Amino acid sequence: MDKVCVVGLGYVGLPTASLLASKGFKVHGVDVNWQVVQTINRGEIHIHEPDLDVLVKSAVNSGNLTASLEPAPADVFILAVPTPFTDGHVPNISYVEAATRAIASYLEPGNLVILESTSPVGTTEKISVWLQELRPDLDPNSIYIAHCPERVLPGQILKEIITNDRIVGGINPASTAKAEAFYQQFVTGEIVPTQARTAELSKLAENAFRDVNIAFANELSLICERLNIDVWELRELANRHPRVNILKPGPGVGGHCIAVDPWFIVDSAPEQAQLIRTARQVNDSKPHAVVSQVKAAAADVNQAVIACLGLAYKADIDDLRESPSVAIVRELARESVGHILVVEPHISALPASLDSLGSVQLVALDVALDKADILLLLVDHQAFKQVDRQKLQGKTVIDTRGIWR
């Protein structure tokens, strides 16, 4: 069975590493955060994902999973590091480059390097170029390099790593075949071969498609507000058409994929990606529209208490990355719209960006329902769906998810 080195032990890397270890692979995990390394080596987890705690504990206890700050020799190297963007929405692939440099000295002929991080088109080819510069002693044809983008849904990661179809694109046919054979050892979904650049754009296109459709729903909600129409009723009626499926609007778009990946396409083809750019702008503007709604409601209340329900970027997870809810709370606090109470059942402390403001308080749901003048529903967590509607009486309710209709 192959030895695998997984670089980056976050929301994708750790589930991947622990799953491979459970399948009998010898897995060496790498992370730059010493606390993360220590936590995993104790058989514990630093992120929330159903059943991940049990899997990591089992993998560590079996001896098949270890974690370290440094890579180790392996047959397969998987890079699962962040790919954010900088100011101006320019892709930042410095983490990919750093991971490539970290593994370079450990590479041997016959090794397979897989980039799972969602990346701008051409990134996998850059890994090849970097490795040739770092290891001129190696025949470039002796190292196999491929891109296999992750396509998992938080909350179902452990299942979808196995069952989802996987797109595998190598820098050459031999790399594609090598990566295809690796994933066939543990993936039950179909392994679909292509070239690296197509694999990269495929993942970006998937998320851009969703972003564009969400933007339509969000723009429609703004139109409905302007025309004094219930967007939820309108959506139900329009979706009765057999070929119409309008998505649900919300307070914006968050997460590490949909809110980020379309900008990679815009950066690569700025003149052609007009619709994709506009969709991003629509979704990025939605939090400001929600803030305006709250300000209008608070103008009629003396020293308003505003309860913001939910900080995660989607329901029933603890992931706050690129969350529009966090942006909304931050803007409300900075503009001193009122006293801000936050309810997020999946975290135990406010993120630093909100805690540093001093005017935002994390409270239990029952406290927020009791004290708030304005209830701002931002995330459709299950706990919020179960709220007794009688407790909403006498309060101004702004429901951006349509769960309290």
Side-chain angles (χ1 to χ4, degrees):
M1 190 68 75
D2 293 332
K3 292 182 180 179
V4 182
C5 179
V6 178
V7 183
L9 296 174
Y11 284 90
V12 173
L14 181 56
T16 300
S18 56
L19 182 68
L20 288 171
S22 74
K23 299 294 184 181
F25 292 87
K26 285 289 186 179
V27 182
H28 180 83
V30 182
D31 202 276
V32 296
N33 188 321
W34 177 234
Q35 288 185 326
V36 169
V37 169
Q38 288 181 308
T39 298
I40 294 168
N41 283 333
R42 290 196 303 267
E44 301 171 1
I45 59 175
H46 62 288
I47 56 177
H48 174 72
E49 178 66 28
D51 301 322
L52 181 60
D53 54 345
V54 176
L55 190 63
V56 169
K57 183 176 182 179
S58 174
V60 171
N61 288 343
S62 72
N64 284 347
L65 175 62
T66 58
S68 173
L69 293 171
E70 300 293 336
D75 302 296
V76 180
F77 293 83
I78 297 176
L79 310 185
V81 295
T83 49
F85 54 71
T86 60
D87 292 341
H89 303 115
V90 177
N92 175 9
I93 60 171
S94 63
Y95 297 100
V96 177
E97 182 175 2
T100 303
R101 293 182 178 279
I103 67 171
S105 63
Y106 297 90
L107 291 178
E108 298 176 357
N111 283 173
L112 170 64
V113 178
I114 300 171
L115 175 64
E116 285 208 357
S117 307
T118 305
S119 303
V121 174
T123 304
T124 310
E125 294 168 341
K126 287 183 178 179
I127 291 176
S128 177
V129 173
W130 293 330
L131 288 178
Q132 288 178 46
E133 294 172 350
L134 294 165
R135 293 293 304 275
D137 57 306
L138 284 176
D139 179 357
N141 293 320
S142 70
I143 301 296
Y144 303 93
I145 304 171
H147 181 54
C148 182
E150 56 84 11
R151 307 166 89 193
V152 292
L153 179 70
Q156 299 184 39
I157 292 178
L158 295 178
K159 173 188 175 184
E160 293 199 351
I161 286 177
I162 296 174
T163 61
N164 283 359
D165 293 349
R166 300 301 294 263
I167 299 170
V168 175
I171 60 169
N172 51 42
S175 294
T176 302
K178 186 87 168 178
E180 200 176 353
F182 170 69
Y183 283 100
Q184 283 173 342
Q185 295 179 77
F186 62 94
V187 172
T188 61
E190 185 177 355
I191 312 297
V192 186
T194 184
Q195 56 181 315
R197 294 172 70 87
T198 306
E200 289 163 341
L201 185 56
S202 174
K203 174 60 187 290
L204 301 179
E206 291 167 13
N207 286 326
F209 173 85
R210 296 172 67 194
D211 196 46
V212 168
N213 282 274
I214 294 170
F216 178 81
N218 279 337
E219 187 168 282
L220 198 58
S221 73
L222 297 174
I223 293 169
C224 285
E225 184 184 358
R226 173 71 175 82
L227 300 178
N228 195 27
I229 293 171
D230 181 350
V231 67
W232 306 104
E233 181 186 5
L234 177 76
R235 175 178 174 270
E236 289 176 0
L237 295 175
N239 281 351
R240 286 179 174 271
H241 189 290
R243 289 172 295 281
V244 173
N245 183 23
I246 300 171
L247 301 182
K248 293 181 178 180
V253 175
H256 63 294
C257 288
I258 300 179
V260 176
D261 298 353
W263 287 119
F264 293 178
I265 300 177
V266 174
D267 183 75
S268 297
E271 294 183 7
Q272 291 76 26
Q274 296 183 43
L275 177 62
I276 294 172
R277 184 202 307 273
T278 301
R280 272 284 74 235
Q281 292 169 341
V282 168
N283 286 332
D284 278 350
S285 70
K286 191 64 190 295
H288 304 298
V290 173
V291 169
S292 295
Q293 281 184 282
V294 177
K295 290 170 71 174
D300 298 328
V301 183
N302 184 33
Q303 296 182 326
V305 177
I306 305 163
C308 301
L309 306 189
L311 285 182
Y313 80 84
K314 61 176 293 182
D316 301 322
I317 63 171
D318 68 343
D319 195 342
L320 309 186
R321 287 178 293 176
E322 305 295 328
S323 173
S325 303
V326 173
I328 288 166
V329 173
R330 185 166 56 241
E331 189 172 342
L332 288 171
R334 285 177 174 173
E335 296 194 19
S336 301
V337 177
H339 181 62
I340 310 297
L341 304 178
V342 170
V343 181
E344 177 45 75
H346 298 91
I347 64 173
S348 57
L350 289 171
S353 63
L354 297 182
D355 192 43
S356 62
L357 296 174
S359 57
V360 181
Q361 183 182 1
L362 183 66
V363 300
L365 178 58
D366 58 346
V367 174
L369 292 173
D370 179 56
K371 293 186 175 182
D373 302 300
I374 300 170
L375 290 171
L376 174 61
L377 191 288
L378 294 168
V379 187
D380 47 343
H381 289 316
Q382 194 63 37
F384 302 154
K385 293 180 180 179
Q386 297 170 351
V387 167
D388 182 353
R389 301 301 189 269
Q390 292 296 320
K391 294 184 178 181
L392 308 182
Q393 298 298 319
K395 302 179 185 297
T396 299
V397 176
I398 300 174
D399 180 359
T400 69
R401 298 289 182 174
I403 68 171
W404 285 343
R405 288 186 61 208

